[in-house]
Amino acid sequence: MKNLLVAQSGGPTAAINATLAGVVASAKLSEKVDHIYGAVNGIEGVLGETFIDLDDKLGSAEQLHLLCQTPAAALGSCRLKIRQEEQLEQIVSILRKHEISYFIYIGGNDSMDTVDKLASYCRVHAIHDLSVMGAPKTIDNDLCGTDHCPGFGSAAKYIATTISEIERDCHVYAKKAVTIVEIMGRNAGWLTAASSLSRLNGGKGPDLIYLCESPFYPERFIQDVKQKLEEEDAVLVAVSEGVKTPDGKYVSELVQSAAVDNFGHAYIAGAARVLEDMVREQIGCKVRSIELNLMQRCASHLQSATDEEESRMLGMKAATAAISGETGKMAAVIRISDDPYRVKYDLIDISQAANAEKNVPVSWITPDGHDVTEAMTAYLKPLIQGESRVTYRNGIPETIQLY
Amino acid sequence: MKNLLVAQSGGPTAAINATLAGVVASAKLSEKVDHIYGAVNGIEGVLGETFIDLDDKLGSAEQLHLLCQTPAAALGSCRLKIRQEEQLEQIVSILRKHEISYFIYIGGNDSMDTVDKLASYCRVHAIHDLSVMGAPKTIDNDLCGTDHCPGFGSAAKYIATTISEIERDCHVYAKKAVTIVEIMGRNAGWLTAASSLSRLNGGKGPDLIYLCESPFYPERFIQDVKQKLEEEDAVLVAVSEGVKTPDGKYVSELVQSAAVDNFGHAYIAGAARVLEDMVREQIGCKVRSIELNLMQRCASHLQSATDEEESRMLGMKAATAAISGETGKMAAVIRISDDPYRVKYDLIDISQAANAEKNVPVSWITPDGHDVTEAMTAYLKPLIQGESRVTYRNGIPETIQLY
């Protein structure tokens, strides 16, 4: 008996289930796979042997379609980082017990680290009948070795669309006002850069865009906003949650030291909230801050068809490779050209992806530090193209429940 | 020459432009209308004579289609409340100068107050050749005299969809965690009630729903959350921004008195943020607050087809009535039945709508105070049905710019 086990890990995305669908599709097509299992809650579910049978739960084409439009990890997730040799020993023993020959782990940096450790363990202990393969996933787009990450395109499409809608909303009144939108990304500004795509149909988009890769100067920010306010009524700012002052301090920490609530707690505010107070204090006009929060990573109703398709292909690539005996690798997208947009799928050594972070190149940020260049737009634009055909029932998108 | 002037006012919605499209369509069909003008920024634009010619700008079917999917008020908006007789005199004089025989004002309570005052002024001064008509609009759904308000259905659909997505996102980890979502509504809880529609396809939806029509007891809230945490890992709470303690104090004000930031300012938090701190302090588990903020009112990409269609019909009703000589009225939706859902369109006296607020009936809130009844679901469900066909270009929805 040769079974395939798949699990999901890390933060949810709108496309991580498309990758799961791809894994299942490839496994179904192969004669070398007897049963397809899913571990609930990632590697925690492997250690706890919480397996579910996907042969039936994802047996029909309709179920796979619904899976692709279901947000967040349908198999659940975890944040467990494997640190001990005994855990690896235990995992291998459990996989053997369930006659698993192929293990596909869909996730981000930490998950790829798990794949790396597990594959190394197998190599060192001469275990040749277990293939361990990674499939990438992260809205942050910070995985190395792949042109971009599944889940990022859909988050970028959500951000571009939402910023274009907010821009219209902000411009209805003939009054001076500043709106600051905080976008996910503690160390990588890719998602914040995607706010610039709101300009693709002629909209103005954000007047100012600050990525966390550029040092953030509060005084310069106030100057930038003042200047924009002279040019127009409504000023729209997009900012990474992880912007830092030149001395390496998160902007979100600037207010925390002193602000204390009724219970005597430090008041932890987001970057946009801190900047909102700064504008109110130093400029005095109407100002509002908005966090795109979880919505930017789980808005499956606004999936990018490109992202969905590529996410599925990467799941297929990872599963096919595992079934053909590859191990210790991650499926990756290699870009061939921007326009026409062409990619190919490849396998990279897992150590290339594990524990490394890909940041926005500084050359893709404009010299004034508050916008992105055309090279950035050329890179981002293809990733949000196409709208997934979402099935609605009773006025809301239909989803599937696996456990 | 008999011209028609239309203007938009109050907070933006995803459907207010569908009403504008309806007004334009009816005016186009009539031989009694020579030109169609739009005033930019509502009644401010009337006073400032900032008129634009809509004959050309909305001359084609495609332009009208794009208008319907453009978020926020395409003609701009204002918050000006008419308080002086001289302003009314000035408005009438400007309308005469531009040979306006029909004035349609699309807006909420304050805008209907303007229609009321202007129509009364005309009556008192025996001005018989000017028809003044209101078309309703408000995501809050708090206008009297109409079964529901254009814009509300789309906001409700956004909320139902988004809450169902957030629910999936919250449930991926096998860890105790509380997520509190704040929904617009300072005095009316209709939008928060719409979070219950996230259950329509079998999802759990929010575990707790607090509307501003029920007194909010902080201790009881903590007890409710604790109890839900015993039953499951992830607890999801929906709360109106305007929830108040039994002594009439906004929950959002509970923290403001003491929290002071680096600049010595009172820290103004939203209700969900205050509750987040309360859970952290008194329960100690992982907790997160989310504001749906402007997105819930401007997400045109997720328009309810029912809302779009009805909004358009109300614009047509208001314009047709004005052209046929009616004045001082508001177009309204009258519900005939829930299932099958049937409505008719009627005119109500403007004084019925102006300056009054429609709240959620207490009987539609469950006795425990933290959910809504089936009667509420039966009322809400038809309003989010159907998905508007949104045209995308370059990966984001296409819109139209009128000025």
Side-chain angles (χ1 to χ4, degrees), chain B residues 11-332:
Chain B
T13 82
I16 188 169
N17 290 331
T19 304
L20 173 58
V23 169
V24 170
S26 278
K28 256 185 218 295
L29 282 176
S30 171
E31 289 172 4
K32 293 189 187 167
V33 180
D34 293 296
H35 291 293
I36 311 168
Y37 299 127
V40 174
N41 295 124
I43 205 73
E44 277 181 15
V46 178
L47 287 163
E49 290 180 71
T50 350
F51 295 163
I52 54 175
D53 188 336
L54 297 180
D55 295 330
D56 275 343
K57 298 220 170 189
L58 294 173
S60 75
E62 193 196 356
Q63 286 165 332
L64 284 176
H65 166 78
L66 287 183
L67 176 65
C68 289
Q69 70 174 49
T70 297
L75 288 173
S77 182
C78 71
R79 295 256 183 220
L80 184 68
K81 195 154 175 161
I82 298 294
R83 298 189 192 280
Q84 296 150 359
E85 175 97 356
E86 300 85 75
Q87 289 173 307
L88 294 166
E89 199 182 317
Q90 197 186 343
I91 291 167
V92 169
S93 139
I94 289 167
L95 296 181
R96 292 231 144 134
K97 177 174 157 196
H98 293 270
E99 299 181 84
I100 311 277
S101 301
Y102 326 106
F103 174 51
I104 318 290
Y105 207 25
I106 309 169
N109 311 69
D110 285 350
S111 320
M112 294 311 121
D113 178 66
T114 299
V115 171
D116 193 11
K117 285 182 173 146
L118 193 55
S120 301
Y121 179 90
C122 289
R123 199 171 48 244
V124 170
H125 294 82
I127 300 166
H128 301 300
D129 55 351
L130 176 62
S131 292
V132 189
M133 196 64 69
K137 173 278 340 170
T138 167
I139 60 160
D140 291 331
N141 201 38
D142 60 352
L143 271 176
C144 293
T146 184
D147 176 75
H148 54 275
C149 299
F152 172 70
S154 294
K157 190 183 184 82
Y158 173 88
I159 289 164
T161 298
T162 303
I163 293 282
S164 75
E165 290 172 339
I166 290 176
E167 185 205 324
R168 297 297 298 235
D169 191 294
C170 293
H171 278 84
V172 299
Y173 297 113
K175 277 211 178 107
K176 295 286 172 199
V178 176
T179 305
I180 305 165
V181 183
E182 179 176 324
I183 297 171
M184 279 183 173
R186 197 99 181 125
N187 301 309
W190 297 106
L191 284 173
T192 307
S195 66
S196 67
L197 299 179
S198 61
R199 299 168 182 153
L200 285 175
N201 292 343
K204 280 184 66 257
D207 298 287
L208 301 163
I209 301 177
Y210 300 97
L211 309 191
C212 46
E213 282 84 354
S214 264
F216 187 88
Y217 302 89
E219 319 72 43
R220 204 179 285 173
F221 161 74
I222 291 294
Q223 280 313 312
D224 293 344
V225 172
K226 277 185 181 164
Q227 195 188 318
K228 293 290 177 189
L229 278 170
E230 280 173 23
E231 297 163 17
E232 60 193 319
D233 284 338
V235 172
L236 182 59
V237 181
V239 63
S240 296
E241 66 172 323
V243 282
K244 291 194 209 81
T245 54
D247 58 351
K249 210 169 175 183
Y250 284 114
V251 166
S252 56
E253 286 170 357
L254 294 182
V255 80
Q256 290 174 31
S257 44
V260 168
D261 69 14
N262 270 347
F263 310 113
H265 287 151
Y267 205 92
I268 301 158
R273 185 58 222 247
V274 171
L275 298 181
E276 177 193 331
D277 285 346
M278 227 177 254
V279 169
R280 190 173 289 116
E281 163 76 3
Q282 296 179 45
I283 302 183
C285 66
K286 194 183 160 197
V287 55
R288 175 198 296 266
S289 63
I290 298 175
E291 273 188 63
L292 296 188
N293 221 310
L294 299 187
M295 291 79 87
Q296 65 201 298
R297 74 180 190 195
C298 68
S300 285
H301 73 273
L302 202 51
Q303 235 179 15
S304 148
T306 299
D307 186 30
E308 182 189 354
E309 184 63 24
E310 292 181 347
S311 298
R312 203 172 158 123
M313 291 289 273
L314 285 165
M316 293 171 70
K317 182 79 183 172
T320 311
I323 295 166
S324 71
E326 295 270 10
T327 191
K329 298 199 169 153
M330 182 184 89

Side-chain angles (χ1 to χ4, degrees), chain A residues 167-400:
Chain A
E167 185 205 326
R168 296 299 295 236
D169 192 295
C170 292
H171 278 82
V172 298
Y173 297 113
K175 277 210 178 109
K176 296 285 172 198
V178 176
T179 304
I180 305 165
V181 183
E182 177 175 325
I183 296 171
M184 279 183 174
R186 197 99 181 125
N187 300 311
W190 297 106
L191 285 173
T192 306
S195 67
S196 67
L197 299 179
S198 61
R199 300 169 181 153
L200 285 175
N201 293 343
K204 281 184 63 258
D207 298 287
L208 300 163
I209 300 176
Y210 300 98
L211 309 192
C212 47
E213 282 85 353
S214 263
F216 186 87
Y217 302 89
E219 317 74 44
R220 203 179 286 173
F221 161 74
I222 291 294
Q223 280 313 311
D224 293 344
V225 172
K226 277 186 180 164
Q227 195 188 318
K228 293 289 177 188
L229 277 170
E230 280 174 24
E231 297 163 17
E232 61 193 318
D233 283 337
V235 171
L236 183 58
V237 180
V239 63
S240 296
E241 65 172 322
V243 282
K244 291 195 208 84
T245 54
D247 56 353
K249 211 168 174 182
Y250 282 115
V251 166
S252 56
E253 286 170 359
L254 295 183
V255 80
Q256 288 174 32
S257 44
V260 170
D261 69 15
N262 270 344
F263 310 112
H265 288 150
Y267 205 93
I268 302 158
R273 185 58 224 246
V274 171
L275 298 181
E276 177 193 334
D277 285 346
M278 226 177 254
V279 169
R280 190 172 290 116
E281 163 77 3
Q282 296 178 45
I283 302 182
C285 66
K286 195 184 158 198
V287 57
R288 177 198 293 268
S289 63
I290 297 175
E291 273 189 63
L292 296 188
N293 220 311
L294 299 187
M295 292 79 85
Q296 64 201 298
R297 75 181 188 192
C298 68
S300 284
H301 74 272
L302 202 52
Q303 234 179 16
S304 148
T306 299
D307 187 28
E308 183 190 352
E309 185 62 26
E310 292 181 346
S311 298
R312 203 174 158 121
M313 290 290 272
L314 285 166
M316 292 170 71
K317 182 80 184 174
T320 311
I323 295 166
S324 71
E326 294 270 10
T327 191
K329 298 200 167 152
M330 183 185 87
V333 195
I334 316 292
R335 188 182 302 221
I336 299 165
S337 60
D338 288 336
D339 188 16
Y341 177 62
R342 293 289 180 270
V343 299
K344 60 178 183 174
Y345 301 93
D346 209 344
L347 298 174
I348 62 161
D349 196 84
I350 193 70
S351 59
Q352 250 188 283
N355 301 309
E357 270 183 350
K358 186 174 70 179
N359 293 108
V360 170
V362 176
S363 63
W364 285 9
I365 300 172
T366 52
D368 56 21
H370 55 66
D371 213 325
V372 297
T373 66
E374 279 176 30
M376 173 65 95
T377 309
Y379 167 79
L380 293 173
K381 187 179 164 186
L383 310 182
I384 67 163
Q385 298 308 307
E387 292 72 51
S388 293
R389 288 182 302 276
V390 176
T391 307
Y392 283 75
R393 191 157 55 93
N394 292 313
I396 59 171
E398 205 169 354
T399 58
I400 196 169

